[in-house]
Amino acid sequence: MVKVILKFADHLKIYMSYVNGYDMCLKTLTDLKKSSEFQKFLTESKTDLTQYLITPVQRIPRYALLLTAVKKHTEKDHPDQAVIEQALNKITSICMHINEAKRRYEQQSVMLALNLQDSDFLQPNRKLIMRSKLRLRLEKGSPELCECILFSDVYVYRSQKNRFKRMTV
């Protein structure tokens, strides 16, 4: 089993596109659940689509857990110990690669959403650092709840009634 995982491990990187689209799938499913026809379909089919959608996302981390357990229960001097270690390292590396790609995808999504209002906002070396809601005193008066986004080279904020404004870092 370990040799099979090792043999096909590089092919698991294709999960990256599925993981990147997972949030959109959940949003689409949520939108579909507003339809009475779709609700009826789900009830009649007794299907929890959310469970089906999450399964591929969880698959590769489960391989890592399986290989960790196999390694733990394999004697240190067993001839397969090196292959198990190699497979575990490969799967761990793929998990990290997919997680990093997901993080970059989410950052780009934030920048694309902001780019709709500002044509020169999207920059290839701009990185998302943090996104949060804060109470800011933008003008005289009481503080307002604002969406604040810190990138590597610019700080962007907006109150609930204003467009995004930016300040260069």
Side-chain angles (χ1 to χ4, degrees), residues 10-25:
D10 285 328
H11 298 288
L12 296 174
K13 290 180 182 176
I14 63 171
Y15 278 85
M16 191 168 27
S17 60
Y18 184 87
V19 170
N20 285 342
Y22 175 72
D23 291 334
M24 184 60 74
C25 288

Side-chain angles (χ1 to χ4, degrees), residues 7 9 22 41 55 60 62 89 91 109 112 133 139 159:
K7 180 179 179 180
Y22 175 72
F41 164 76
T55 300
I60 297 173
R62 284 181 182 167
N89 289 341
I91 292 295
S109 295
L112 283 171
K133 295 205 183 264
E139 297 175 10
S159 65

Side-chain angles (χ1 to χ4, degrees), residues 12-160:
L12 296 174
K13 290 180 182 176
I14 63 171
Y15 278 85
M16 191 168 27
S17 60
Y18 184 87
V19 170
N20 285 342
Y22 175 72
D23 291 334
M24 184 60 74
C25 288
L26 286 181
K27 182 183 178 319
T28 302
L29 182 61
T30 301
D31 292 344
L32 285 170
K33 285 181 177 180
K34 295 174 185 172
S35 159
S36 59
E37 288 181 38
F38 193 72
Q39 284 286 353
K40 182 180 175 186
F41 164 76
L42 290 176
T43 304
E44 289 174 358
S45 65
K46 298 177 183 168
T47 303
D48 183 3
L49 290 179
T50 307
Q51 290 301 311
Y52 286 116
L53 290 173
I54 192 69
T55 300
V57 173
Q58 296 171 334
R59 182 161 289 132
I60 297 173
R62 284 181 182 167
Y63 290 154
L65 291 172
L66 173 66
L67 289 168
T68 300
V70 169
K71 181 181 174 192
K72 179 181 175 184
H73 292 91
T74 302
E75 295 175 18
K76 299 282 185 219
D77 59 345
H78 193 279
D80 287 342
Q81 190 64 257
V83 176
I84 295 168
E85 183 70 31
Q86 188 180 6
L88 180 58
N89 289 341
K90 185 76 164 175
I91 292 295
T92 302
S93 172
I94 290 170
C95 284
M96 289 177 10
H97 178 76
I98 290 173
N99 287 341
E100 177 62 23
K102 174 69 173 164
R103 189 184 61 73
R104 281 193 316 267
Y105 176 81
E106 289 170 350
Q107 287 182 349
Q108 289 172 346
S109 295
V110 169
M111 287 191 283
L112 283 171
L114 294 173
N115 196 41
L116 295 175
Q117 299 171 11
D118 188 347
S119 61
D120 68 336
F121 187 77
L122 197 57
Q123 299 294 321
N125 56 353
R126 183 167 286 156
K127 304 281 187 264
L128 175 68
I129 306 295
M130 185 193 322
R131 185 176 193 172
S132 184
K133 295 205 183 264
L134 298 172
R135 291 205 172 276
L136 299 176
R137 188 179 312 262
L138 300 175
E139 297 175 10
K140 293 180 181 177
S142 59
E144 297 180 51
L145 185 62
C146 296
E147 180 179 13
C148 302
I149 307 170
L150 178 62
F151 292 96
S152 54
D153 63 336
V154 69
Y155 174 73
V156 180
Y157 67 94
R158 75 168 168 194
S159 65
Q160 293 180 345

